[in-house]
């Protein structure tokens, strides 16, 4: 029922979106948003509309900043899906939790992720003058620190809960920054879908790479006839991916839209 109920709710949601959501103000008889707020003239908007969509999409593919953001998101997703796929196993095999205790710790991560995603745009707009680079860096540092402490701090329910709370909150924000907001800010509005598609493709490639490499790095030890997972190398890989994601984000610090 966990799969079926989620699928039914998703289907109902898409029906509401299809009939109730518009793609642009112009489709509802309203003026272009950029013209209305004085960011562009109507002539500039009309000139942009005359460009071939395929050529604009090709500009997105050739944009190095979009690729760097995609690679940063790829690394972020490696760490994200490592924790989400292996977190319960790690807590039970390395820190002595029972199954329900481990699941309880991991549940807080998802709740914190909701708030991270909800607040990230408001935080960047209100405190960072609509810029995403500085908050993305701060979130990236906290994201890496939370994963490092989760992996290597001594077993403590309070510490593990705090780590997963910070991890979830920062992960929810980074998925929005790297996977959407930062890319949308540096490409023409007509081809934001192409940028999102590229980054989404790279992001889930990271999730797939994580599963494969973690499986290769995982060591299974037999102690007193019992199989024990050894996460030493896998944990290093997860933490390294989080740090690399943060460093890659720095490379697009001053990226701006060409237009």
């Amino acid at each position: 029922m966990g799969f079926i109920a989620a699928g039914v709710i998703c289907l109902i949601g898409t029906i509401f979106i299809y009939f109730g959501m518009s793609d642009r103000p112009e489709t509802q008889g309203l003026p272009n948003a950029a013209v209305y707020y004085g960011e562009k003239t109507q002539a500039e908007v009309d000139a942009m509309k005359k460009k071939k969509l395929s050529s604009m999409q090709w500009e997105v593919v050739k944009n190095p900043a979009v690729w760097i953001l995609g690679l940063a998101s790829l690394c972020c997703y490696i760490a994200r899906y490592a924790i989400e796929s292996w977190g319960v196993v790690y807590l039970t095999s390395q820190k002595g939790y029972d199954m329900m205790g481990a699941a309880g710790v991991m549940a807080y991560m998802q709740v914190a992720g909701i708030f991270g995603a909800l607040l990230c745009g408001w935080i960047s707009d209100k405190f960072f003058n609509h810029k995403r680079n500085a908050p993305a860096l701060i979130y990236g540092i906290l994201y890496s620190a939370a994963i490092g402490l989760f992996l290597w701090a001594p077993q403590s329910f309070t510490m593990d809960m705090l780590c997963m709370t910070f991890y979830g909150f920062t992960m929810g924000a980074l998925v929005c920054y790297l996977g959407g907001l930062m890319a949308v800010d540096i490409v023409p509005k007509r081809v934001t879908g192409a940028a999102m598609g590229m980054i989404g493709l790279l992001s889930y490639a990271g999730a797939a790479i994580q599963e494969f490499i973690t499986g290769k790095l995982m060591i299974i030890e037999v102690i007193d006839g019992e199989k024990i997972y050894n996460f030493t190398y896998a944990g290093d890989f997860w933490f390294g991916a989080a740090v690399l994601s943060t460093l890659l984000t720095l490379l697009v610090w001053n990226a701006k839209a060409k237009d």
Side-chain angles (χ1 to χ4, degrees):
M1 286 307 298
F3 291 105
I4 295 171
V8 171
I9 293 170
C10 182
L11 179 60
I12 293 171
T14 57
I15 293 172
F16 277 103
I17 290 171
Y18 181 81
F19 288 104
M21 188 174 181
S22 302
D23 58 347
R24 298 184 309 278
E26 294 96 317
T27 60
Q28 299 299 314
L30 298 169
N32 180 277
V35 174
Y36 182 82
Y37 287 106
E39 297 173 359
K40 293 181 181 179
T41 65
Q42 186 63 49
E44 289 174 324
V45 172
D46 291 340
M48 182 65 68
K49 289 180 179 178
K50 291 179 181 178
K51 284 188 175 182
K52 286 186 177 180
L53 190 61
S54 58
S55 65
M56 296 176 70
Q57 290 173 334
W58 181 241
E59 288 180 13
V60 172
V61 174
K62 294 190 298 182
N63 190 331
V66 175
W67 281 98
I68 292 171
L69 282 172
L71 292 174
S73 187
L74 181 150
C75 293
C76 178
Y77 268 59
I78 286 175
R80 173 190 177 184
Y81 278 91
I83 298 298
E84 295 187 11
S85 295
W86 294 94
V88 170
V89 179
Y90 184 84
L91 289 173
T92 54
S93 64
Q94 304 294 303
K95 293 196 172 185
Y97 285 84
D98 60 21
M99 186 62 70
M100 289 304 298
V105 171
M106 299 302 293
Y108 281 89
M109 166 191 73
Q110 304 294 354
V111 176
I114 294 171
F115 287 99
L118 283 173
L119 294 174
C120 67
W122 178 79
I123 289 172
S124 62
D125 287 344
K126 185 171 181 63
F127 299 105
F128 296 95
N129 193 29
H130 310 289
K131 294 181 179 178
R132 323 296 179 190
N133 49 12
L137 174 62
I138 294 170
Y139 277 112
I141 293 171
L142 293 174
Y143 181 69
S144 302
I147 292 173
L149 288 171
F150 174 75
L151 290 171
W152 300 311
Q155 192 277 332
S156 164
F157 181 77
T158 302
M159 174 61 76
D160 292 330
M161 286 281 292
L162 286 173
C163 288
M164 285 296 93
T165 300
F166 272 100
Y167 162 83
F169 188 84
T170 54
M171 179 272 294
L174 286 172
V175 167
C176 294
Y177 286 143
L178 300 177
L181 289 175
M182 295 179 75
V184 167
D185 287 343
I186 61 173
V187 300
K189 297 297 181 284
R190 285 182 67 199
V191 287
T192 53
M196 296 282 288
M198 279 182 56
I199 292 176
L201 179 65
L202 290 169
S203 299
Y204 284 99
I209 290 169
Q210 178 278 133
E211 297 290 358
F212 179 78
I213 295 181
T214 295
K216 292 292 185 182
L217 294 176
M218 190 74 67
I219 299 172
I220 300 178
E221 300 173 334
V222 179
I223 301 176
D224 297 330
E226 183 180 357
K227 291 183 178 180
I228 303 295
Y229 290 101
N230 185 325
F231 285 86
T232 301
Y233 299 118
D236 293 342
F237 169 57
W238 303 345
F239 179 74
V243 172
L244 183 57
S245 173
T246 304
L247 295 176
L248 284 169
T249 306
L250 288 173
L251 298 179
V252 293
W253 187 269
N254 293 317
K256 295 180 177 64
K258 287 184 178 181
D259 61 337

